[in-house]
């Protein structure tokens, strides 16, 4: 007997910056900040240019790469090395990200020690792995007690759900974002020295989902309703503890994706023992902090009315917030 199968187009719209990392970072020795851009050169091309300047410059460059590796002193910057060696060309391939001026304080602009890389395909273009989206969808379903599955049962059902990698994302859609924590106790946002390559808000990204068997099909067919129900629970449990101006309105079905969106977007809320997080050196106060980031204000038009993605004047977004539409395209 032929197994039931349905194919869906999953359209994701970022409502805030989203970061999917690969575990790698850029240091100040691997990027150039000039003229309002963060330039990430192809290191092999950069080294060729340095070789063209002779062995003395090669040796100086090797010494530059080795210095300050094992201490917390101010790290040397690639742009300073190039200027000191009178290397004016910037034709090293790679790519650039335009600054938003929300990355850091004005006096620290261009002096970010480390930047977490966004995962990229073999052609150097950012993309979202299907496994990342599938994990986020699984978290939604896990929070919906209507299904009643145990973790192991849900794993079995999700083995019959296949999520493609996303279409490539243009490099022009990338920005650099800083991590901000908003404390519900102190009622103030705090910027942290954590910086990430991120997809900018209002970027549309497409995937294909295939579901096999009745249980898997039922999960995907009801995905939008499930996500809205789970979001209401998340808001009642956590978001309501924070000022409404920092909580973004939903556009389409809500989904939190990627690094920095917070514990409660990635776990089964009702299954967490809060007492376990209230002990030890890094004990969590209340239910933790709201994870924010900053980006330029973006507005959109819907049915003739203009809306803003955020409700505050400080350019704060909920890190990782997105909305989605899941449409059936093939029914076998």
């Amino acid at each position: 007997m032929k197994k039931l199968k349905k194919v869906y187009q999953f359209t994701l719209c970022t409502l805030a910056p989203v970061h999917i990392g690969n575990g790698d970072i850029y240091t100040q020795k691997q990027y150039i900040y000039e003229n309002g851009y963060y330039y990430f050169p192809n290191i092999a091309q950069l080294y060729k240019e340095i070789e063209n300047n002779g062995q003395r410059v090669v040796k100086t460059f090797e010494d530059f790469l080795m210095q300050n590796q094992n201490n917390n002193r101010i790290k040397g910057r690639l742009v300073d090395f190039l200027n000191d060696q009178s290397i004016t060309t910037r034709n090293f391939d790679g790519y650039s990200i335009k600054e938003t001026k929300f990355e850091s304080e004005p006096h620290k602009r261009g002096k970010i020690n480390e930047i977490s890389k966004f995962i990229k395909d073999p052609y150097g273009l950012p993309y979202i792995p299907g496994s990342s989206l599938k994990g986020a969808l699984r978290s939604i379903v896990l929070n919906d007690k209507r299904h009643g599955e145990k973790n192991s049962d849900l794993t079995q059902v999700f083995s019959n759900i296949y999520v493609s990698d996303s279409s490539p994302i243009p490099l022009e859609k990338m920005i650099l974002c800083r991590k901000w924590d908003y404390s519900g106790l102190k009622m103030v946002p705090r910027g942290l020295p954590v910086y990430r390559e991120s997809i900018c808000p209002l970027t549309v990204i497409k995937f294909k989902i295939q579901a096999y068997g009745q249980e898997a099909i039922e999960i995907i067919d009801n995905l939008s309703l499930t996500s809205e129900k789970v979001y209401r629970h998340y808001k009642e449990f956590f978001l309501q503890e924070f000022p409404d101006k920092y909580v973004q309105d939903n556009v389409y079905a809500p989904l939190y994706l990627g690094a920095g969106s917070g514990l409660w977007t990635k776990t089964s809320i009702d299954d967490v023992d809060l007492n376990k997080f209230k002990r030890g050196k890094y004990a969590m106060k209340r239910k933790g902090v709201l994870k924010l980031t900053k980006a330029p204000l973006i507005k959109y038009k819907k049915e003739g009315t203009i809306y803003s993605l955020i409700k505050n004047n400080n350019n704060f977004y909920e890190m990782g917030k997105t909305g989605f539409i899941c449409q059936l395209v093939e029914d076998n």
Side-chain angles (χ1 to χ4, degrees), residues 32-55:
I32 300 167
Y33 171 78
E34 283 180 330
N35 304 317
Y37 284 85
Y38 290 84
Y39 174 38
F40 303 92
N42 180 306
I43 297 301
Q45 293 296 324
L46 171 65
Y47 194 76
K48 283 183 181 179
E49 177 60 31
I50 289 172
E51 284 184 315
N52 291 338
N53 284 266
Q55 282 304 306

Side-chain angles (χ1 to χ4, degrees), residues 42 53 76 78 91 106 118 135 177 195 214 249 254 275 283-284 309 325:
N42 180 306
N53 284 266
L78 178 58
N91 187 25
F118 199 99
C177 289
Y195 303 88
Q214 190 59 48
D249 291 334
N275 291 321
M284 186 169 66
L309 286 178
I325 298 172

Side-chain angles (χ1 to χ4, degrees), residues 139 142-145 230-239 263-274 287:
S139 293
L142 191 61
N143 273 279
D144 180 19
K145 299 307 177 185
V230 168
Y231 177 81
R232 287 193 296 270
H233 182 39
Y234 169 60
K235 189 170 185 178
E236 292 167 2
F237 174 82
F238 180 68
L239 291 179
L263 168 67
W264 305 116
T265 67
K266 301 181 182 301
T267 190
S268 177
I269 291 174
D270 292 335
D271 293 333
V272 173
D273 181 0
L274 277 172
K287 295 173 185 172

Side-chain angles (χ1 to χ4, degrees), residues 17-45:
V18 172
H19 172 77
I20 309 290
N22 64 357
D24 293 337
I25 60 168
Y26 290 110
T27 70
Q28 287 199 90
K29 296 178 180 180
Q30 296 171 292
Y31 75 85
I32 300 167
Y33 171 78
E34 283 180 330
N35 304 317
Y37 284 85
Y38 290 84
Y39 174 38
F40 303 92
N42 180 306
I43 297 301
Q45 293 296 324

Side-chain angles (χ1 to χ4, degrees), residues 29 64-75:
K29 296 178 180 180
F64 162 77
L65 292 178
M66 294 300 295
Q67 67 184 205
N68 297 342
Q69 285 198 341
N70 298 315
N71 59 49
N72 293 320
R73 293 172 55 198
I74 296 174
K75 305 295 190 292

